[in-house]
Amino acid sequence: MSAAREERPQALSRLDRMERLSEAFYRYGLYIVLLALVVLFYALNSNFLSANNAVNLLLQTSSTGIAAAGLVFVMLTGGIDISISAVMFITAVISTVLTDMGLGLIGAIAVSIACGAVIGAVNGFFIAKLKMTPIIVTLAVMYSVRGLAIGFIGVKTLFFTNAVGAYLVKTRILGYIPLIVVILAVVMALCQILLSRTLLGKQMYAIGNNRSGAQKMGIAVEKRIFSAYVLCGALAGLAGLVSGAQVGQVSPAFAVGQEFIIISAAVLGGVSLFGGKGKAFPGAFLGVLIIMCIENGLVMARTNMYAYTIVRGCVIFVAVMLDSFHNKGETR
Amino acid sequence: MRKLLSWFLVCAVCVCLFAGAAAGAEKIAIGVAMDNLDDPFWMGVKKGIDAAVKELGDKVEINIQVCLGDANVQHKQIEDMVTAGADAIACIYVDSETIRQSVELCNEKNIPFVYMDRTLESDDEITVSWGFATDNYALTVAGWEYMADYARKNGIKWKVLELVGSLTDQNVLFRTEGFEKVMADNPGIIERIQSVPTEWNLEKALAGCTNALQASPDINCIFMHSDYLLAPTIQALEAAGRWVEIGKPGHVAVMPFSGAALSIQAMKEKKVEMCFGMDTFGAGYEGVIAAYNFAAGIDDPKYKAFVNDPGFVITQENFAQTAPRAYGWE
């Protein structure tokens, strides 16, 4: 009898330890994974840890990172936006055409953000006001926006190699830090401040955690969800401008499939598909960085070309699996 | 009154249908299914199609569909064109397996099927009427043999980054095979450092090229499976300070494939040694003329044997003679 009594607390403490371990892994796992990747790829190619490659990695992280930061707002409210890639495409098209006509960098940034925000508002209207399913609405918007952009350019390729594109890509702050990386840093900082220091951000977490509870507390749920999609669209617009300038070419296949990389990066970074959990920085940023690190490292390690797709698929699977495990038993 | 109006509408529809059928009876309806139009290469094929349609004039009715790289959409488009009464199908297919369903459908309906750009062989299950495609293997071998000779003359050893297109594209596989053949024949001159898959994605091409140049700064040659990937490659080389003229320190020999305007411009600026040239105009033009002839029952000996065009290699030495043949020549 007494032995059975002793066994129960022991079993409980074992369970407790497991839970703590999994919590610790969830909290610090990203850093551990990133560190492991850095060590692995450094062992395979010492150039991986060079300063040039660090800048290179940040540059490759920038457009996806900016879009992922925007997506965090939507995901926190329990939604999803798969029209991001189409928004990136249309803003890259508009920016290229307008800058070719003489629009400056500030104007191009403003137009891209505004254009993305308008598309985000369309998503937000249908999802927040008309209570339509996010995946259906954003899927429809994705096709419509891509079709609109293809119709606009007439299924041709545009070259974003004018002065604005060159300035965006080549400018180095203090002679070393690329302007695009500075833009990424500013976006990440602003998004995280918005999420953790403002009422808007806190209300988004509340909505994602318990929508009906948030409504009872007097939070304007519809307005907050609408704002989340507008912010997401605006940042996707900015990401489109950055990506277009980096690639130097905008074709109808521009950013196709990018939405899945962005979503998986956000999930990998701890932003829950179920809503209410996650951060733009370091969460989503680290998620994007890990994905880019893997792609960069595979090239550095001169991996077989057939390995890339397999590894990418595995990363997405692991990210979603971890999210499901972490949210096991939670229903919202 | 409503009854009278209904009868009037039914009669009007019948008259229109008969009139349309009578008017269309003289014309041959050709359905053209294209992979894409997002690249000057496809626009080159389209120019050939347009020229053929112009030449055939009133004798032909053309319906061009672009599936934007989606094989299933392409199959549906062909189904729709067949249902709409196409007399022949000319096609640049996306996927060599998916297209077999479309060819089977054409065979069932006795509609001639002609391919353009990508080869497809008849077998026990499908019959292809005719086709015009570039012999990607032969063209790649010819281009790489030029580069091997160039290296021997100038005492260079090529350390190559290969930017691979889609791994399911048959043309891509032929290009890799051609490259590997010449590499095997010239072991001390050509060495492949890295193959990076791009899936015809510009962002991946930029990242892959940048990363490979970081990983292996000794790369001095980039072989890309299409000059669609040239713009991001230039961006990556510019960032690395290596987009410089031939002979200057740090120069990387870029080998674009097909002959777009950007490649021709880079050759004019003496930044690119050579370019693989493809007769895109011929593929579009001959494809439509052949489809018309088969549908109209014209027995032209020209369209008995399938065309496997060897293409042409544009070099700095023969630039004046060969570059005007490229579709990117302006």
Side-chain angles (χ1 to χ4, degrees), chain A residues 45 47 50 52-53 56 60 88 150 154-157 159-161 169-170 172 243 245-256 258 261 292 295-296 298-306 308-309 312, chain B residues 36-40 43 66 68 161-162 164 167 173 176 191 193-197 199-204 206-208 210-218 227-233 235 238-239 262:
Chain A
N45 188 328
N47 275 340
S50 64
N52 274 344
N53 197 44
N56 175 29
Q60 286 167 15
M88 286 173 73
I150 290 172
V155 209
K156 284 178 191 155
T157 296
F159 292 99
F160 195 172
T161 47
V169 172
K170 289 177 183 165
R172 296 284 186 271
S243 182
Q246 281 186 302
V247 173
Q249 184 173 328
V250 183
S251 72
F254 184 87
V256 164
Q258 193 68 12
I261 305 286
M292 294 304 156
E295 299 240 339
N296 177 287
L298 288 173
V299 177
M300 288 269 176
R302 297 182 188 177
T303 318
N304 184 295
M305 60 183 174
Y306 294 100
Y308 292 72
T309 319
R312 207 176 297 131
Chain B
N36 227 319
L37 272 179
D38 64 344
D39 174 338
M43 296 305 286
V66 184
L68 300 177
L161 163 66
E162 184 186 16
V164 181
L167 295 172
L173 302 175
T176 295
E191 182 196 352
I193 301 288
Q194 174 84 54
S195 281
V196 175
E199 295 156 35
W200 299 132
N201 179 310
L202 300 173
E203 290 92 341
K204 283 188 181 135
L206 173 68
T210 310
N211 294 339
L213 289 169
Q214 286 277 347
S216 314
D218 55 342
D227 35 24
Y228 176 63
L229 307 174
L230 183 57
T233 304
Q235 296 284 84
E238 271 187 346
L262 194 59

Side-chain angles (χ1 to χ4, degrees), chain A residues 1-14:
Chain A
M1 188 70 182
S2 62
R5 268 185 202 158
E6 276 169 19
E7 265 171 30
R8 201 173 290 164
Q10 264 182 3
L12 274 174
S13 72
R14 204 178 304 136

Side-chain angles (χ1 to χ4, degrees), chain A residues 22-266:
Chain A
S22 90
E23 193 58 40
F25 181 77
Y26 191 76
R27 190 170 292 174
Y28 304 110
L30 277 179
Y31 298 99
I32 298 166
V33 169
L34 188 60
L35 188 70
L37 286 171
V38 169
V39 171
L40 172 73
F41 290 129
Y42 176 69
L44 294 169
N45 188 328
S46 59
N47 275 340
F48 184 79
L49 262 187
S50 64
N52 274 344
N53 197 44
V55 172
N56 175 29
L57 254 174
L58 286 173
L59 275 170
Q60 286 167 15
T61 304
S62 52
S63 66
T64 312
I66 292 167
L71 186 67
V72 171
F73 293 101
V74 165
M75 288 176 71
L76 279 182
T77 62
I80 198 79
D81 186 351
I82 54 171
S83 66
I84 299 173
S85 61
V87 175
M88 286 173 73
F89 174 42
I90 201 166
T91 53
V93 167
I94 291 170
S95 316
T96 308
V97 172
L98 291 181
T99 50
D100 276 345
M101 289 165 71
L103 187 74
L105 178 63
I106 303 296
I109 291 175
V111 167
S112 304
I113 291 176
C115 174
V118 168
I119 299 168
V122 172
N123 281 329
F125 173 77
F126 285 106
I127 293 162
K129 297 280 175 194
L130 303 185
K131 310 271 186 299
M132 288 175 73
T133 317
I135 197 157
I136 301 297
V137 171
T138 54
L139 183 75
V141 168
M142 178 182 86
Y143 281 120
S144 312
V145 168
R146 194 166 277 279
L148 194 70
I150 290 172
F152 181 65
I153 61 171
V155 209
K156 284 178 191 155
T157 296
L158 303 176
F159 292 99
F160 195 172
T161 47
N162 54 35
V164 173
Y167 183 83
L168 198 53
V169 172
K170 289 177 183 165
T171 304
R172 296 284 186 271
I173 308 292
L174 304 172
Y176 198 73
I177 307 163
L179 176 60
I180 288 175
V181 174
V182 174
I183 294 175
L184 171 70
V186 170
V187 167
M188 283 294 172
L190 287 177
C191 287
Q192 195 44 46
I193 289 169
L194 204 61
L195 285 172
S196 56
R197 302 279 171 88
T198 67
L199 192 62
L200 175 76
K202 283 169 187 166
Q203 288 182 343
M204 282 177 181
Y205 280 103
I207 292 166
N209 275 312
N210 187 343
R211 189 176 169 145
S212 55
Q215 206 141 22
K216 280 175 196 158
M217 281 167 64
I219 294 172
V221 174
E222 283 181 13
K223 278 186 186 169
R224 296 296 164 259
I225 292 176
F226 180 81
S227 313
Y229 282 93
V230 171
L231 282 167
C232 180
L235 289 176
L238 181 62
L241 170 73
V242 169
S243 182
Q246 281 186 302
V247 173
Q249 184 173 328
V250 183
S251 72
F254 184 87
V256 164
Q258 193 68 12
E259 64 276 11
F260 296 111
I261 305 286
I262 296 165
I263 293 169
S264 54

Side-chain angles (χ1 to χ4, degrees), chain B residues 39-57:
Chain B
D39 174 338
F41 177 85
W42 303 122
M43 296 305 286
V45 180
K46 176 81 169 26
K47 273 185 196 167
I49 293 168
D50 292 342
V53 172
K54 197 177 170 189
E55 192 179 301
L56 292 166

